[in-house]
Amino acid sequence: MSKKKTTSVAVKQFSVEQFFSIRSIYGFKLSHDSKTVFYITNTTGTPQIWSVPIIGGAPKQISVWNDSVKAIYQNPKSPELIFLSDYNGNENLQIYKIPSDGGEVTHVAGDNQSQTMFVGFNKGGTKILYSTNRKLSYNFETFVHDLKTGKEKRVYGFDDPTATIAEEWSDNSRYITFVKMYGNINTDLLLYDTTSRKLKNITGHDLSVDTFNAGSEFDNKNRGFYFVSDEGRDFKGIKYYDIKKATSNWVVKHHWDVANFVLSDDNSFMIYTLNRNGNLSPYMLNLKTGKSSKLNLPKGNYSSLKITKDGKKLVYVFESPLNPADIFTYDFKSGKITQLTDSLIGGLGKEGFTVGKDIFYRSFDGKKIHAILYIPRGTKKNGSNPAIVWPHGGPEWQEVHNFSKYIQVLTNSGYIVIAPNFRGSTGYGKKFQKLIYKDWGGAEFKDVLGAYDYLCSSGFVNRKKIAVVGGSFGGFMTLTCVTKAPERWRCAVDIFGPSNLITFVNSVPEHWKSGTDILVGNPVRDKGLLEERSPINFVDKIECPMLVIQGRHDPRVVEAESGQIVKKLKSSGKDVDYILLEDEGHGFSKVSNQIKVFKAKLEFLNKHLRSNKSK
């Protein structure tokens, strides 16, 4: 096990191996009797299915699969699980089933050349509904699959260029909701009646007015469904659609985004989370009185909400900068909180972690930008410290107050990190989010430079020891920073970032292309803009050493995006190192690869940011 160099920072130092011994825990489901929690964790090095009693107890491994488990679903009647998995991160998900206590895995649907999306079970647990693009790569068909006979029946299919995917199946199997994806902030909900065989767009709107409608959940009487919408608003709330009346009305509206929600089994109340500057807090809404109140729970981020069948407990994933994600229960009556999983192992303690601080700054045009600033405890305000600008991926994403191993590894090594939520980020309303559309490498790039300027004016940082590090869109932003503002950076790390926007939009999955036309640009109509914003065309401007990291099977940012810029960097005599992971896709799921990548990243950063040599 490698050891880190001792720094002057007064935090307890941990190795990369220790950090990545922290288990990732996510994607949990309750058993049909609410007595068991099934969840995904990478305890064995690859994400697998585990279970734990809801009253607490020893965890049990359920699956020993040959690749990463991506999602799990509990059969509502029988002791059986459905799970999704792909091959080495290629995102061509397939559906499998396994007994709830472990055992033989059976392939149900899907292949390695297409994507298969699980929708739900019928009430009896004998059939499942799923969508697949195996016929048309750019759109989806939906099938009912009989789990006993293996027979399938096509329910509906779409052949237009706008991807439309089944989202929810009513308890009586009569209704299916579909989401029609015009773009990430412009969607409609369609309702299909399998009895009348009629399809209706229940949120039809002027497509020039971006409106988000998705996240449907039927009520227990199959009379309608709740869904997330921002119709006529800047922020997302919750609406209810009455099928018989063919009308919808608002149930929840705030001046912040609703992130997710869950209904109690008897539909008497709902729990939803509200996103305030990257803090996701849970609220309870009484569906009879319409009154809502914030739950008395510790500050942090709450996700994957579930309510036990008897309505007495909330089950959720909780995390904060000092607490890696774990599964908890909350008793509504007594207020008792019970922790079911323990992700923090490997001898780590909270004394080695850094809590981020909300900061705000004005960008070049006066736009207010929110960022999270991580300053390790004991860091001296003497202008000598190295720092990292960390632009997030997406770009329609948000840096939140969660536990990020990736940032904590860096701060534990003594690096100050600033993570800006530049324009285009989620959580600040759709007007702010839309500002990045067809402007990649434009105004949001200047927002990121504003984060650099904030570091320089903080009194903590040596401006000659600042790096930019990012993945996916953050990788593109890293490449943009070193080509458009090369004098600012001591070194840079690009993790599967698009280098050429024309080849990027041409290589994304087919059912994404109508969306990337809107978000990034069209390779023909917007060729001039995309060429001007493509970092690969400005490699000659790069002055700092580069580290580029990529997964071979990445379907979102294909390997050629990294390969072509590395080739051009090398042919131009630039200082570049390249790590290509042969068994990964977009994001690295195997713990051994995570350790390999972060050890290389820290070695690279330490070499260039700890040196006393100036640029």
Side-chain angles (χ1 to χ4, degrees):
M1 185 178 292
S2 64
K3 294 184 178 180
K4 296 181 182 179
K5 295 180 180 179
T6 302
T7 72
S8 60
V9 179
V11 294
K12 185 175 181 180
Q13 298 286 287
F14 299 120
S15 68
V16 171
E17 288 90 344
Q18 283 178 296
F19 264 103
F20 285 94
S21 71
I22 298 174
R23 297 163 176 162
S24 295
I25 292 175
Y26 56 95
F28 81 84
K29 295 292 187 295
L30 294 180
S31 62
H32 53 80
D33 58 6
S34 293
K35 292 182 178 180
T36 305
V37 177
F38 297 97
Y39 61 99
I40 301 172
T41 182
N42 61 353
T43 299
T44 59
T46 302
Q48 297 294 325
I49 306 169
W50 288 63
S51 70
V52 65
I54 199 163
I55 60 173
K60 175 185 176 182
Q61 185 171 356
I62 304 300
S63 70
V64 186
W65 187 234
N66 54 14
D67 220 315
S68 299
V69 173
K70 302 294 186 178
I72 52 175
Y73 306 90
Q74 166 69 55
N75 191 300
K77 292 295 182 181
S78 66
E80 191 172 66
L81 296 168
I82 288 289
F83 73 88
L84 306 184
S85 183
D86 63 3
Y87 173 72
N88 283 341
N90 68 3
E91 298 187 21
N92 288 329
L93 296 171
Q94 300 183 58
I95 300 175
Y96 301 86
K97 64 180 180 180
I98 185 174
S100 296
D101 59 354
E104 183 179 356
V105 172
T106 304
H107 180 265
V108 176
D111 57 57
N112 198 36
Q113 305 303 317
S114 60
Q115 292 191 324
T116 306
M117 313 290 191
F118 179 84
V119 180
F121 293 93
N122 68 342
K123 188 175 182 179
T126 59
K127 298 176 181 179
I128 64 168
L129 188 76
Y130 73 89
S131 291
T132 177
N133 66 343
R134 65 186 174 217
K135 180 180 178 181
L136 298 173
S137 58
Y138 56 84
N139 217 324
F140 291 78
E141 297 178 293
T142 298
F143 293 83
V144 171
H145 177 99
D146 191 303
L147 291 172
K148 292 183 178 180
T149 66
K151 292 182 179 180
E152 294 190 341
K153 179 182 178 181
R154 182 179 181 273
V155 179
Y156 208 91
F158 298 86
D159 57 10
D160 61 291
T162 305
T164 307
I165 305 173
E167 182 179 64
E168 190 78 357
W169 199 13
S170 66
D171 197 43
N172 61 1
S173 299
R174 178 175 176 177
Y175 300 108
I176 301 169
T177 55
F178 293 87
V179 178
K180 197 166 192 66
M181 300 283 298
Y182 311 109
N184 292 342
I185 59 174
N186 202 8
T187 60
D188 269 328
L189 272 171
L190 314 183
L191 180 66
Y192 181 64
D193 186 334
T194 61
T195 300
S196 67
R197 297 187 179 181
K198 291 182 178 179
L199 181 73
K200 181 179 182 179
N201 186 338
I202 65 102
T203 60
H205 66 283
D206 180 352
L207 296 185
S208 67
V209 180
D210 293 312
T211 306
F212 179 90
N213 299 288
S216 54
E217 184 174 344
F218 284 95
D219 63 29
N220 60 2
K221 301 294 185 182
N222 302 300
R223 294 172 179 169
F225 54 87
Y226 297 86
F227 63 100
V228 176
S229 177
D230 60 11
E231 180 187 3
R233 307 183 72 247
D234 198 27
F235 292 92
K236 295 181 178 70
I238 301 172
K239 299 188 80 174
Y240 176 78
Y241 179 78
D242 186 300
I243 296 174
K244 186 176 181 179
K245 295 179 181 178
T247 58
S248 63
N249 61 279
W250 286 103
V251 178
V252 175
K253 288 195 294 185
H254 290 275
H255 189 63
W256 295 96
D257 275 339
V258 169
N260 52 35
F261 71 90
V262 64
L263 295 168
S264 63
D265 199 58
D266 64 1
N267 284 191
S268 64
F269 68 95
M270 167 194 294
I271 304 294
Y272 64 90
T273 56
L274 206 59
N275 179 356
R276 284 189 173 93
N277 286 326
N279 286 293
L280 276 67
S281 303
Y283 288 72
M284 175 183 281
L285 172 68
N286 186 315
L287 290 170
K288 294 179 180 178
T289 66
K291 294 182 179 180
S292 66
S293 58
K294 187 177 180 181
L295 294 182
N296 186 24
L297 287 165
K299 185 178 180 180
N301 275 319
Y302 293 78
S303 61
S304 300
L305 309 176
K306 303 288 184 295
I307 299 171
T308 54
K309 201 170 185 65
D310 59 11
K312 294 181 178 180
K313 292 181 180 180
L314 176 68
V315 191
Y316 56 91
V317 170
F318 170 80
E319 61 179 321
S320 71
L322 297 181
N323 298 276
D326 272 307
I327 301 171
F328 293 78
T329 64
Y330 171 73
D331 189 294
F332 291 117
K333 185 176 181 179
S334 69
K336 181 181 179 182
I337 297 171
T338 303
Q339 183 172 343
L340 301 184
T341 61
D342 187 6
S343 60
L344 191 58
I345 61 173
L348 279 80
K350 297 178 182 180
E351 66 274 13
F353 303 153
T354 300
V355 176
K357 172 187 176 184
D358 286 318
I359 62 104
F360 299 88
Y361 60 88
R362 296 288 177 180
S363 192
F364 70 100
D365 58 354
K367 181 72 68 179
K368 186 178 181 181
I369 303 299
H370 169 235
I372 302 178
L373 178 65
Y374 297 84
I375 301 178
R377 287 196 312 275
T379 302
K380 295 180 180 179
K381 193 173 183 179
N382 58 9
S384 67
N385 299 287
I388 293 165
V389 176
W390 179 277
H392 62 69
E396 295 166 287
W397 197 251
Q398 184 187 28
E399 284 295 337
V400 300
H401 290 279
N402 62 351
F403 183 87
S404 169
K405 274 185 254 190
Y406 312 121
I407 290 178
Q408 294 293 342
V409 167
L410 297 172
T411 58
N412 186 256
S413 296
Y415 292 109
I416 293 171
V417 178
I418 188 169
N421 282 312
F422 43 80
R423 66 194 73 198
S425 300
T426 57
Y428 309 96
K430 64 183 172 187
K431 292 177 184 176
F432 186 86
Q433 186 175 340
K434 193 179 179 181
L435 291 174
I436 202 169
Y437 278 48
K438 286 193 177 181
D439 193 34
W440 281 35
E444 95 289 358
F445 159 59
K446 296 177 183 178
D447 295 341
V448 173
L449 293 187
Y452 172 97
D453 293 336
Y454 187 95
L455 289 175
C456 293
S457 64
S458 69
F460 284 94
V461 176
N462 181 342
R463 67 171 57 243
K464 294 183 179 181
K465 294 184 178 182
I466 300 178
V468 57
V469 180
S472 194
F473 177 84
F476 165 77
M477 183 48 53
T478 294
L479 295 174
T480 300
C481 284
V482 298
T483 53
K484 296 296 180 72
E487 72 285 352
R488 296 184 180 227
W489 314 103
R490 183 67 189 89
C491 61
V493 182
D494 157 35
I495 309 165
F496 42 75
S499 62
N500 183 328
L501 293 183
I502 292 178
T503 57
F504 167 63
V505 297
N506 279 327
S507 62
V508 296
E510 287 297 320
H511 62 282
W512 283 24
K513 288 187 175 177
S514 61
T516 54
D517 263 17
I518 298 169
L519 175 61
V520 187
N522 181 275
V524 177
R525 295 190 300 272
D526 303 307
K527 183 180 179 182
L529 171 67
L530 298 183
E531 286 180 337
E532 192 274 327
R533 299 293 176 84
S534 293
I536 198 166
N537 295 326
F538 305 95
V539 165
D540 60 305
K541 303 292 186 183
I542 296 176
E543 299 177 6
C544 69
M546 296 284 304
L547 172 61
V548 179
I549 305 168
Q550 175 73 42
R552 171 75 75 182
H553 300 279
D554 192 334
R556 304 184 183 204
V557 182
V558 297
E559 189 274 329
E561 287 301 311
S562 291
Q564 63 188 347
I565 197 165
V566 168
K567 182 179 179 180
K568 195 165 184 179
L569 282 163
K570 288 183 176 179
S571 66
S572 301
K574 304 292 184 179
D575 186 349
V576 60
D577 294 321
Y578 186 37
I579 298 174
L580 177 62
L581 299 174
E582 296 289 346
D583 55 349
E584 294 284 7
H586 196 75
F588 310 136
S589 63
K590 298 176 178 65
V591 173
S592 59
N593 286 331
Q594 294 169 357
I595 292 172
K596 176 182 178 180
V597 164
F598 269 82
K599 289 180 76 171
K601 188 186 296 185
L602 277 180
E603 182 180 350
F604 175 82
L605 293 170
N606 289 339
K607 175 182 177 182
H608 297 290
L609 296 182
R610 299 291 183 194
S611 169
N612 290 322
K613 296 179 181 179
S614 61
K615 288 174 63 176

